[in-house]
Amino acid sequence: ESFSPEQARLGQRLRACMDADMEWVKTHDLKILPFPDGMEEGDDLIEWHIEHNLCGGHQEFANCVKEGLADMVQHPDRDPQIPFDDPEFDPRVANFLKAFLKTP
């Protein structure tokens, strides 16, 4: 299967998010849910991880995270308007999203 340069870049950026979160989990000695059996790598796996691990099953928060990612993909030239430095903003989620922004 052949990917366009944009698709390849998106894949790299999403992998960077997942890698950053796995490092966060390890550093903070967190427990996460294992991926369901038979789940293929790709968007479904990332979406599942956001919903069940990153956001702990809080669907509304997970939707906000996914909308933030979608906005960063669709409008790469705009400031994402995500309050990364707000002490009220979840630092793990901030770490996940910052990895997306930092990956070229």
Side-chain angles (χ1 to χ4, degrees):
E1 187 174 347
S2 177
F3 295 105
S4 72
E6 293 83 16
Q7 290 171 315
R9 180 174 184 245
L10 177 59
Q12 289 174 326
R13 295 175 88 187
L14 291 172
R15 276 190 299 282
C17 293
M18 295 293 283
D19 291 345
D21 194 52
M22 291 302 106
E23 186 62 32
W24 182 277
V25 166
K26 189 173 150 184
T27 300
H28 293 86
D29 196 28
L30 301 177
K31 303 290 183 243
I32 60 171
L33 297 172
F35 294 115
D37 288 338
M39 183 170 270
E40 298 291 323
E41 284 197 39
D43 295 347
D44 290 342
L45 186 130
I46 294 167
E47 188 171 337
W48 188 93
H49 180 75
I50 290 169
E51 292 171 0
H52 298 279
N53 286 319
L54 190 66
C55 297
H58 299 283
Q59 192 62 48
E60 189 174 325
F61 188 37
N63 288 342
C64 289
V65 171
K66 292 185 283 185
E67 287 171 15
L69 280 171
D71 192 52
M72 288 187 278
V73 169
Q74 293 168 0
H75 307 285
D77 54 327
R78 287 198 321 218
D79 180 3
Q81 301 296 311
I82 297 171
F84 293 123
D85 298 322
D86 184 333
E88 299 288 317
F89 194 75
D90 185 302
R92 180 178 173 192
V93 172
N95 181 64
F96 182 88
L97 294 174
K98 283 179 182 179
F100 186 88
L101 288 175
K102 289 191 280 187
T103 303

